[in-house]
Amino acid sequence: MADQKVSLTKKDRLSVCWRSTFIQGSWNYERMQNGGWAFSLIPALKKLYKTKEERSAALKRHLEFFNTHPYVASPIIGVTLALEEDRANGAPIDDVMIQGVKVGMMGPLAGIGDPVFWFTVKPILGALAASLAMSGNILGPILYFVLWNLIRMGFMWYTQEFGYRAGAKITDDVSGTLLQDVTKGASILGMFVLGSLIQRWVSVKFTPVVSTVKLAKGAYIDWDTIGNGTKGIRSALEQQASGLSLGSSKVTTLQDNLDSLIPGLAALLLTLLCMWLLKKKVSPIVIILGLFVVGVGLHVLHVM
């Protein structure tokens, strides 16, 4: 360890932030983002550790498995920088603690990146840029490129700095209770986001017909009287918009009844079942194959 206190400057942290934009550059099936993660930390590790052996050991511990949304990796990087800095200055921080921070935060935070960036920011910017481009304004694609990268880079830098400042507080608590609180909070937030997205990501539909009710005349579109061509199509659309049914019978399926009680109940129960199986140490591959076989079987039986 160095005799004199060493600290990371803003320039060092900016260099790490810039490198983290390539965190997916060496993605692999075995350890996923570990290569990009280690590449991002190289400027900091060179600054903190002076000997070849120390730098080699630091790189080795950061080549372990790592995978999360590429943008929300930034706060984890910030916390890791603070831990490595305090370790280089003699704090009692071992490899297990550093890896524990990464593992404890990468899973929960991964569920936040997709809804924030892919499902919110990108569609909004894309719609704005597309509206300009469709009117012949060249600012459309330029505005999209500039705004997207400003938001992306600004978020990555701010959250990395936030993690760096929070990491310094974590290392002051040698007992580890603050670290546990941070990882627990990240887990709760991640589970809340994932829970709200079950309805979007998980689709379960039961097809058995519960009832078929014959509708009274005037409650459905009379296709024999609406005419042909564009006028007929327009008339049909207007009648449907006014509330008329497309057919003469109203078919109610089991899924319709379930949705009238609690929408998304089947998807929620299926998700909870998978979580319970994972808790029982059932292999994810076995769960995936099981869902595939059961899904195909129920579809053949016309249940789903």
Side-chain angles (χ1 to χ4, degrees):
M1 297 296 174
D3 295 331
Q4 190 175 5
K5 181 176 174 62
V6 60
S7 60
L8 296 172
T9 64
K10 186 176 182 179
K11 181 180 179 181
D12 298 327
R13 302 195 301 274
L14 277 171
S15 180
V16 171
C17 183
W18 168 247
R19 281 172 169 250
S20 69
T21 60
F22 307 103
I23 196 170
Q24 303 240 87
S26 62
W27 194 95
N28 61 90
Y29 284 102
E30 182 181 0
R31 300 188 181 183
M32 298 193 175
Q33 296 171 337
N34 70 320
W37 172 272
F39 173 77
S40 303
L41 296 178
I42 285 176
L45 298 180
K46 282 185 175 180
K47 178 71 173 292
L48 296 174
Y49 302 105
K50 302 304 181 183
T51 67
K52 181 179 179 180
E53 291 74 16
E54 288 178 331
R55 291 175 176 176
S56 177
L59 277 176
K60 185 176 180 180
R61 64 174 164 266
H62 287 297
L63 284 173
E64 295 295 328
F65 175 88
F66 183 83
N67 188 53
T68 190
H69 190 282
Y71 300 159
V72 300
S74 297
I76 311 176
I77 290 176
V79 174
T80 304
L81 290 177
L83 293 174
E84 288 287 359
E85 182 178 271
D86 283 356
R87 174 171 175 156
N89 288 303
I93 300 172
D94 56 12
D95 294 359
V96 175
M97 182 177 183
I98 294 176
Q99 189 65 13
V101 171
K102 293 163 57 179
V103 173
M105 296 179 69
M106 69 182 183
L109 290 178
I112 301 174
D114 283 348
V116 171
F117 288 100
W118 302 154
F119 303 150
T120 303
V121 178
K122 259 187 176 292
I124 292 174
L125 294 180
L128 175 62
S131 63
L132 292 174
M134 290 176 67
S135 65
N137 194 332
I138 196 175
L139 285 178
I142 296 175
L143 189 66
Y144 175 82
F145 178 81
V146 173
L147 288 179
W148 170 249
N149 283 287
L150 283 176
I151 293 172
R152 178 178 66 91
M153 295 300 296
F155 174 85
M156 293 174 69
W157 169 247
Y158 174 79
T159 54
Q160 180 181 298
E161 286 293 283
F162 176 82
Y164 178 73
R165 292 191 296 270
K169 297 177 183 177
I170 289 174
T171 56
D172 290 339
D173 182 18
V174 181
S175 64
T177 56
L178 182 56
L179 174 59
Q180 293 174 3
D181 292 341
V182 171
T183 54
K184 182 179 179 181
S187 299
I188 293 173
L189 177 60
M191 292 302 295
F192 174 80
V193 173
L194 289 176
S196 65
L197 292 175
I198 288 176
Q199 179 66 14
R200 181 188 183 96
W201 287 351
V202 183
S203 177
V204 179
K205 294 187 180 297
F206 295 99
T207 57
V209 176
V210 176
S211 64
T212 302
V213 179
K214 191 74 174 178
L215 297 177
K217 194 171 183 63
Y220 59 91
I221 299 174
D222 189 351
W223 294 97
D224 295 329
T225 61
I226 63 173
N228 300 320
T230 56
K231 289 185 178 179
I233 295 174
R234 178 179 179 181
S235 176
L237 292 175
E238 289 175 346
Q239 292 183 51
Q240 184 186 19
S242 66
L244 297 186
S245 175
L246 293 174
S248 59
S249 300
K250 181 181 179 181
V251 178
T252 302
T253 65
L254 176 60
Q255 188 63 47
D256 294 330
N257 286 343
L258 291 175
D259 288 341
S260 65
L261 295 173
I262 304 178
L265 176 61
L268 175 61
L269 293 177
L270 179 61
T271 303
L272 293 175
L273 173 63
C274 292
M275 292 176 62
W276 180 78
L277 291 173
L278 289 172
K279 189 175 181 180
K280 293 295 183 180
K281 307 299 181 182
V282 179
S283 170
I285 301 299
V286 173
I287 296 175
I288 293 172
L289 292 176
L291 290 175
F292 177 78
V293 171
V294 172
V296 171
L298 293 178
H299 179 72
V300 171
L301 296 174
H302 303 290
V303 176
M304 295 181 70

